[in-house]
Amino acid sequence: MVVAAATAQGCHAQAQQTPPRPAAGAATIGTLPDRESLNSGTVTVITAPIGGPMSVMGSDMAAVLDEGESLRVLPILGKGSAQNLVDIIMLKNIDMGFVATDAMEFVKTEYNIPDIAQRVRYIAQLFHNDVHIVARREIRSLQDLNGRRVFAERSIGLPAARTIFRKLGIQAEIDSQTDPTGGLQKLIDGQGDAWIASVSKDAPVIKGIKNEGGRLHLLSVPYDRVLQDVYLPTTFSSEEYPNLVPPGVRVDAVAAPTVLMVYNWPENTERYRRTARFVDALFGKIQILQSPPRHPKWRDTVLSAPVQGLIRFKAAQDWLDGAGQSPAQNANPAEFRKFLDERKAQARMSSGEAAKLYSDFLKWQRSKDQR
């Protein structure tokens, strides 16, 4: 009886360890990947709402950098640069994200974080965000916005509005609560005087404005000396925005570098190692990302370009050092300001002068790199 009982117990234990055979004709259920392996190879990248390059570039990363369980990129739609920066610092499941550099000063002052530059690192400079100010026809200069109502949504336009207005001494009534499309519609309906967005050129929401009667235009932002520590000069043309710029005219504007920002993970952590694997894949496959059919903004990416006031993520710097890439001073505000100071350039420049000086600046950079 004892032997029979033991045998029965052994058969019961074997039954618990051996999965039941599927019934004839039943679909076979595959084996899921190991949970730990899957999580240790996954990184998240917070981008921006659909319609700009950030969301598409995040999708490009997911497609090109995928290495199965060892590396998987999960793009997440975010609200824009300012909120992305907050999310990178505060949210547990966000590894990195797209951030325009003028959001740094905004978040530093808005949330009273004096050491914000120590909390994050940048992986690479990707492209530039251009500051668009769509205004009523009667608004002819930035100074005309004193005391006027301006729509600048918190994550897309407010950092640029706060930075530019503060530096130029403009006191405007800023509505940062209305969403971007809602703010633009209110401007069109005559409920405000201007709308600001820091986005890539050829933004669909701006190109799609039905500007009947020419009631609106893109307001000029002269490249004033006080803006040169944050921004670079750019222009808008009638070819880019035929609905807002008259034929043959170029409108002065400014642009901020957009970088891939990451939390300052300690080197001995899993999050650091995971991000380092991502860096190896991103830098190693950058030429694939810069080729069609990937988003054309990838072609603006210069991996070795430094970013003023920020420290590069160590794994990214190690990769560049190993590849023998010297820092390229590509579109760096501090370097461009130095170039202007050496030539005693005027504090304010027309669009033609800015374009000429910027072209000379790029030639000057190349001559430095060849020394």
Side-chain angles (χ1 to χ4, degrees), residues 142 163-164 167-168 221-233 254 308 333-334 336-349 357:
L142 284 171
T163 302
I164 293 171
K167 288 178 174 291
L168 296 179
V221 181
Y223 194 55
D224 194 287
R225 179 176 292 275
V226 297
L227 301 179
Q228 293 171 11
D229 61 335
V230 177
Y231 296 102
L232 290 159
V254 293
Q308 180 187 8
F336 189 51
R337 182 178 56 180
K338 178 182 177 183
F339 172 82
L340 295 177
D341 288 342
E342 286 182 0
R343 283 148 185 78
K344 296 181 172 55
Q346 296 178 359
R348 293 179 178 270
M349 294 175 285
L357 282 171

Side-chain angles (χ1 to χ4, degrees), residues 252-278:
D252 290 333
V254 293
T258 296
V259 303
L260 189 60
M261 195 83 76
V262 63
Y263 187 76
N264 185 17
W265 302 112
E267 283 188 64
N268 60 345
T269 62
E270 175 59 30
R271 299 294 284 273
Y272 178 94
R273 290 188 288 270
R274 190 186 308 173
T275 307
R277 287 199 297 273
F278 167 86

Side-chain angles (χ1 to χ4, degrees), residues 12-72:
H12 182 64
Q14 185 177 7
Q16 284 185 313
Q17 296 172 9
T18 305
R21 294 182 180 179
T28 302
I29 300 176
T31 303
L32 290 173
D34 176 71
R35 182 190 297 271
E36 294 302 320
S37 298
L38 194 60
N39 278 276
S40 66
T42 300
V43 295
T44 57
V45 180
I46 191 162
T47 63
I50 294 174
M54 294 183 186
S55 59
V56 180
M57 293 171 78
S59 180
D60 288 342
M61 288 179 185
V64 173
L65 308 185
D66 183 84
E67 296 178 0
E69 291 183 30
S70 60
L71 179 62
R72 182 184 176 200

Side-chain angles (χ1 to χ4, degrees), residues 187-202:
L187 172 66
I188 294 171
D189 293 342
Q191 300 179 46
D193 299 286
W195 174 87
I196 299 179
S198 179
V199 294
S200 181
K201 278 187 182 180
D202 294 327

Side-chain angles (χ1 to χ4, degrees), residues 82-83 85-86 102-114 116 152-155 158-163 166 174 176-177:
Q83 188 60 50
L85 183 54
V86 173
D102 58 358
M104 291 288 293
E105 185 66 23
F106 171 77
V107 173
K108 175 181 176 180
T109 56
E110 186 81 359
Y111 294 93
N112 190 26
I113 310 175
I116 189 169
E153 194 272 335
R154 188 173 185 81
S155 289
L158 189 58
R162 290 274 194 237
T163 302
R166 175 176 56 82
I174 300 178
S176 62
Q177 300 304 313

Side-chain angles (χ1 to χ4, degrees), residues 17 50 83 96 110 126 148 171 178 224 238 245 249 259 287 306 318 350 361:
Q17 296 172 9
I50 294 174
Q83 188 60 50
M96 67 196 82
E110 186 81 359
L126 301 178
R148 301 300 185 98
Q171 299 292 327
T178 305
D224 194 287
S238 57
V245 180
V249 173
V259 303
Q287 291 184 340
D318 288 346
S350 69
F361 169 60

